[in-house]
Amino acid sequence: MSLRFVLDPDLTPELRERIVALWTDVSNAGGAVGFVPPVTTDDVRTLAGPAFAAISDGPDRLLLGYAGDQLVAALIFTDNRFNLKAHWCVLKRVMVHPDTQGKGYGLALMREAERLGRELGLTALHVTLRGGLGLENFYQRLGYREVGRLPGALRVGPGDDRDEVLMWLDLVPATAAADRP
């Protein structure tokens, strides 16, 4: 089953709760989306509230992926809030429901983000990830390259510090970028 994508949905209270439920399930399955398991929906709401405000009031944008009527994927196009960085954005809270892993939904979500990034006139996408989970390989297969690493920047538990890995995807071919003034 392919995904149906919705960019900038109306963030109704019901949809907010569906996103919080997805975020909670992903977190409790070990997904690196801002938490270390176990978490509750109340824990997630503390981080989700400001994220929803930045989406509703701008400038951030939300992309959702549905399999039928089930919300199974999401990510946030996060504006850099700095004019000199307006040509690229950070993808945050990239998540696919753990029950749907292995169906290609993560690939589909990231390809849709890439397509939309180009459509929105962005020249690059940036994502940060938690080291130690093998996520670098997934993003490298999508064309992202590692552009930095902050050693031990993420403390996921006592004695368990992980690298924060910075990944970058150019949306403009290198020859076109070289031709820009």
Side-chain angles (χ1 to χ4, degrees):
M1 174 184 292
S2 63
L3 293 185
R4 173 179 57 89
F5 292 103
V6 177
L7 179 65
D8 300 328
D10 181 19
L11 275 175
T12 64
E14 176 191 354
L15 181 56
R16 289 171 189 247
E17 286 306 306
R18 290 177 75 184
I19 295 167
V20 166
L22 171 65
W23 199 336
T24 303
D25 290 345
V26 169
S27 296
N28 283 323
V33 288
F35 297 95
V36 175
V39 297
T40 66
T41 54
D42 286 337
D43 295 329
V44 171
R45 278 190 198 99
T46 63
L47 196 55
F52 291 151
I55 293 164
S56 293
D57 301 337
D60 296 346
R61 304 186 75 177
L62 177 64
L63 176 63
L64 300 179
Y66 291 88
D69 291 333
Q70 182 185 7
L71 174 64
V72 297
L75 64 74
I76 301 170
F77 285 88
T78 306
D79 184 90
N80 286 302
R81 292 160 175 79
F82 183 57
N83 191 43
L84 297 178
K85 296 180 179 182
H87 57 289
W88 61 275
C89 77
V90 180
L91 301 179
K92 288 191 174 182
R93 312 302 174 220
V94 177
M95 51 189 149
V96 174
H97 196 280
D99 291 345
T100 64
Q101 295 288 326
K103 294 185 177 188
Y105 292 168
L107 172 66
L109 177 67
M110 295 308 295
R111 289 293 184 222
E112 181 67 3
E114 181 180 342
R115 186 191 72 75
L116 287 168
R118 285 188 170 91
E119 188 175 287
L120 296 169
L122 299 171
T123 61
L125 297 174
H126 172 57
V127 64
T128 63
L129 47 108
R130 184 184 303 164
L133 299 175
L135 296 171
E136 298 94 329
N137 296 330
F138 171 75
Y139 286 101
Q140 287 170 345
R141 286 192 309 270
L142 292 168
Y144 284 76
R145 63 184 171 19
E146 184 175 323
V147 294
R149 185 175 287 260
L150 302 174
L154 303 170
R155 180 158 291 158
V156 297
D160 189 2
D161 293 350
R162 307 282 178 90
D163 292 355
E164 183 172 29
V165 183
L166 312 165
M167 305 291 290
W168 186 266
L169 178 68
D170 288 307
L171 297 178
V172 176
T175 55
D179 293 339
R180 283 190 307 224

